[in-house]
Amino acid sequence: MSTMRRTLTAVAVAAAVPFFMTEASAQKSLRFVPHSDLKILDPIWTTAYIVRNHGYMVYDTLFGMDDKGEIKPQMVDSYKLSDDKLTWTMTLRDGLAWHDGQPVTTADVIPSIKRWAAKDSMGQKMMSFVASIEAKDAKTFEIKLKEPTGLVLLALGKPSSNVPFMMPKRVAEGDPNKQIEEFTGSGPFVFKRDEWVPGSKIVYVKFAGYKPRSEPPSGTTGGKVVKVDRVEWLPIRDHQQAVNALLAGEVDYIEAPPHDLHPLIKKSKDIYMFNWNPLGSQYTFRFNVLHKPFDNPKVRQAVLHAFNQEDFLKATVGSEEYYKVCKGLFVCGTPFGTEVGFEDMLESNFKKARELLTEAKYDGTPIVLMQSTDNQSLTNLAPVAKSLMERAGFKVDMQSMDWQTVVARRVKKDPPAAGGWHAFLTSWVAGDLLNPVMAGFVNAACDKAMFGWPCDEQIEKLRDDFAKEVDPAKQKAIVEAIQKRVAEYPTHAHLGQFYNHGALRNNVKGVVPAPAPVLWNITIE
Amino acid sequence: MGGYILRRVLSTLPVLAIVAVLVFLMLRLTPSDPAAIIAGDYASSEQIEGIRERLGLNEPILKQFIIWIGGVLQGDFGESFFYKKQVAELIGERLEPTLSLSLITILLVVLIAVPLGVIAAHNHGTWIDRFVMGFSVLGFSIPVFVVGYILIYIFAVTLDWLPVQGYQRIRDGVGGWLLRLVLPAMTLSVVFIAFIARMTRTSVLEVLNEDYIRTARAKGQTEIKVLVRHALANAAVPILTIIGLTVAILIGGVVVTESVYTLPGLGLLTVDAVLARDYPTIQAVILLFSFAYVLINLLVDVAYTFLDPRIRY
């Protein structure tokens, strides 16, 4: 604080001596600027990333994913699969407790798994293999399967929405379609509902009763050791203001400042940038296969031939330091990351694209492309898509709207001329795309698929094969087969990976790289 | 006077009713769907439909309106779709920052703009007049958010005199409360200072040529007394009208300023509610703003009678 500010404060204080009081505190607080405001508090009820991140503060998980992409136990101490591969036996760690001091038992864990599985697509898939989940005692439970599957650990350890967070029995037994109203977790932080100022401040304090694992932290696993007393989330809507606050020392850590502000941040010697999510995120172009011309896979292939990832990444991210061209659907650098199937696509081969359009007898129907204008990281994508598609011979009607209108409109199945749509662009964090069951846009289950509603028996059969396979090498082969089929029957176009670095003051150390911004292990020097 | 106030209060009811109908209809007719927003990316059509049903958005618009207005008439503005809190409670929590910002801004505006206008009028045609008028043009030509960023850059980032953003409640310390409102209030007040200084100058200039001013001077009264007691007092009615309008227009500025400075007031609540399509919150806040607008106009009309004895209702 400068002398002038101290003087001004002193003057203001002196003017109000009889009324003046402050929140004196010797506690170590981390002031964190999340990517958006927190409105909903139930991480099972919604897939919003901000609620997932809140979940990681308050709740714990049975398994997690380490920095190598491997699933490791978290609340679970020991676990084993029977020889016939039909029974998983899992035992909870000693000393797990809820924030109200009660012990965590299998009576809490089983309804938590069921509530999560009722909402999460991967959980639903896993449960299709599950015959029963039964408690053996307070610490041990069994998951009995109808047939072998490799999904159980992948699902229980999935790092992104919906994360299978554990909740107390009384909470978890509630209707999965109704938001929870009690926020007792067993995670490393306690949510202070009495200090929550909606729209302005979300407060967490260290949970003194949390028993971390002994291993070092890695991804969403390992020792979640909390080294501050208190964390304040301060949602600042204006990115420039957030950076100003960081420069002035009013906040300690910005989750993801936009790329265009990075040069400004880097000029400060008091701040450093850190890539807390090394897996990054992926841009995608989603087709609506219900309407002409995208009901024809050849027309969709033409789009994949017209596009190249570099143009999209340059237009939105800018510096090569923060993006990577990757033709893999399931994220390059992860166990199922492979570019097989897309070798000759995404190269802006307009000649090939035009040939495909001719073959498909494309009649010049304008493509209704929804452009989000208020979501800065997405705004520049649609004009690039429009330009590349037009060069391939498409007619494109790019319609601009705010992101929430895109969200409302993308679930409509009406024809594009009657308020529906042909295509839009979005992004996913890599943690949501790590395998074909997890990645929502690969789901081609017709009406049960996500908006866009691709419908392909072969893709679904391969996804089922993947779910049933327990051998990772064979799973990898299935992934390659899926990519080849998606290249023939495109469900979406993947437009490359990018990285959102966090910005931190120099005295903030110990950020754990993970698919979500986790705030344990951080120290303030 | 009592009868007049009662008539004016009653006349606000149709205005509020029209606002209520308009806001309700506009929200329902725009292409948005709170259920799809709440449900998230992976929600199935059935899940979205289920949320729509629980929120009552599947009912015919007329039925939705009757349910909502019935609640409003009983003081129940409904529950926020997102925060799962009563809207009245949300608004109650957000009143303090907005009222604080508005009051300090009005105070700044009146204390700076009126003397500036009087000084400019008194020094008509001189460099002082031209300087004030130049500032005035500049003041209402620059958008609020640009002023905000310039002030933040100078006073918060470069000089480190004032905080960049945030709010501290009065109960947590008046010093911190005041310190965090200085920049937002300065930002918001610039345009109004410019406007009111200009209007004050014009009004005072008009009365400075009146006979009673010459008489006052001829009687040997000091220039200060002439300006304040005779000129300003007689120019007060149009100035008060403009100040009244300013207070009403302030509502628009509050929305932008609270967003820039992250003040958790009604402006920020409005922005968040609009972006999230939180219908109950948007409806209640717009209704509240309309009521405030009508009330301020009434207060200004009543204030005329104190400033000009010739005005009677």
Side-chain angles (χ1 to χ4, degrees), chain A residues 497-520:
Chain A
Q497 291 172 212
F498 64 98
Y499 306 92
N500 284 318
H501 292 210
L504 305 94
R505 291 194 65 81
N506 287 342
N507 61 335
V508 180
K509 310 273 189 200
V511 176
V512 178
V518 294
L519 302 182
W520 50 82

Side-chain angles (χ1 to χ4, degrees), chain B residues 68 71-72 75-80 86-88 91 280-281 283-285 287:
Chain B
W68 174 65
V72 170
D76 176 9
F77 291 88
E79 189 182 76
S80 160
Q86 288 298 310
V87 171
I91 289 177
T281 308
Q283 288 159 188
V285 171
L287 215 54

Side-chain angles (χ1 to χ4, degrees), chain A residues 206-520:
Chain A
K206 177 180 179 175
F207 175 37
Y210 185 76
K211 190 182 171 194
R213 295 187 72 89
S214 54
E215 302 95 329
S218 175
T220 59
T221 65
K224 298 180 178 178
V225 181
V226 175
K227 297 175 179 174
V228 294
D229 302 298
R230 180 182 168 92
V231 175
E232 290 181 0
W233 283 17
L234 304 167
I236 301 177
R237 315 302 190 279
D238 187 306
H239 295 299
Q240 177 66 60
Q241 270 294 72
V243 171
N244 286 340
L246 187 71
L247 292 169
E250 290 178 24
V251 298
D252 303 305
Y253 179 3
I254 304 177
E255 181 186 332
H259 294 101
D260 62 336
L261 290 177
H262 287 199
L264 173 69
I265 295 168
K266 284 178 171 176
K267 274 186 190 165
S268 169
K269 61 183 188 323
D270 301 321
I271 295 166
Y272 70 101
M273 303 210 63
F274 183 75
N275 182 12
W276 52 263
N277 179 10
L279 296 178
S281 302
Q282 187 189 75
Y283 283 125
T284 52
F285 176 97
R286 180 63 162 176
F287 300 108
N288 181 352
V289 309
L290 294 185
H291 304 290
K292 284 186 182 305
F294 284 158
D295 59 336
N296 187 336
K298 282 195 187 306
V299 178
R300 303 202 297 273
Q301 284 177 17
V303 172
L304 275 152
H305 280 287
F307 284 171
N308 75 86
Q309 295 185 341
E310 192 97 28
D311 282 3
F312 288 96
L313 294 166
K314 271 201 159 54
T316 50
V317 179
S319 168
E320 285 177 26
E321 191 184 345
Y322 303 116
Y323 71 71
K324 180 159 90 181
V325 169
C326 163
K327 291 187 184 179
L329 289 174
F330 307 110
V331 189
C332 293
T334 66
F336 299 119
T338 167
E339 298 192 330
V340 168
F342 293 103
E343 293 87 347
D344 65 338
M345 289 178 153
L346 298 165
E347 298 283 350
S348 279
N349 183 344
F350 298 115
K351 185 170 171 283
K352 176 73 180 168
R354 276 192 287 271
E355 281 169 16
L356 282 163
L357 287 184
T358 309
E359 225 177 289
K361 298 187 173 63
Y362 171 59
D363 62 359
T365 304
I367 303 297
V368 173
L369 174 63
M370 297 192 289
Q371 183 205 16
S372 156
T373 51
D374 61 330
N375 189 332
Q376 198 184 0
S377 70
L378 302 178
T379 304
N380 290 350
L381 293 171
V384 176
K386 181 179 190 298
S387 165
L388 293 173
M389 288 170 73
E390 284 174 346
R391 287 172 71 186
F394 282 98
K395 279 189 183 162
V396 181
D397 173 15
M398 188 175 78
Q399 299 182 6
S400 301
M401 58 198 81
D402 73 334
W403 174 247
Q404 301 300 8
T405 303
V406 173
V407 169
R409 195 165 159 183
R410 71 185 180 182
V411 297
K412 287 186 178 176
K413 292 182 176 176
D414 302 330
W421 56 282
H422 278 118
F424 75 97
L425 294 117
T426 186
S427 67
W428 293 92
V429 297
D432 281 328
L433 306 172
L434 299 173
N435 64 61
V437 177
M438 190 187 272
F441 276 0
V442 181
N443 183 334
C446 313
D447 275 350
K448 287 183 179 162
M450 293 179 77
F451 31 80
W453 307 281
C455 191
D456 185 66
E457 280 181 11
Q458 285 188 51
I459 293 178
E460 283 308 285
K461 163 83 173 47
L462 287 163
R463 290 177 73 230
D464 277 345
D465 290 347
F466 178 89
K468 287 172 189 168
E469 187 53 65
V470 291
D471 179 351
K474 288 180 183 166
Q475 282 181 325
K476 183 84 184 259
I478 296 170
V479 165
E480 290 178 356
I482 287 176
Q483 287 206 167
K484 285 179 185 166
R485 180 57 192 160
V486 172
E488 290 167 0
Y489 181 94
T491 54
H492 63 289
H494 46 302
L495 306 174
Q497 291 172 212
F498 64 98
Y499 306 92
N500 284 318
H501 292 210
L504 305 94
R505 291 194 65 81
N506 287 342
N507 61 335
V508 180
K509 310 273 189 200
V511 176
V512 178
V518 294
L519 302 182
W520 50 82

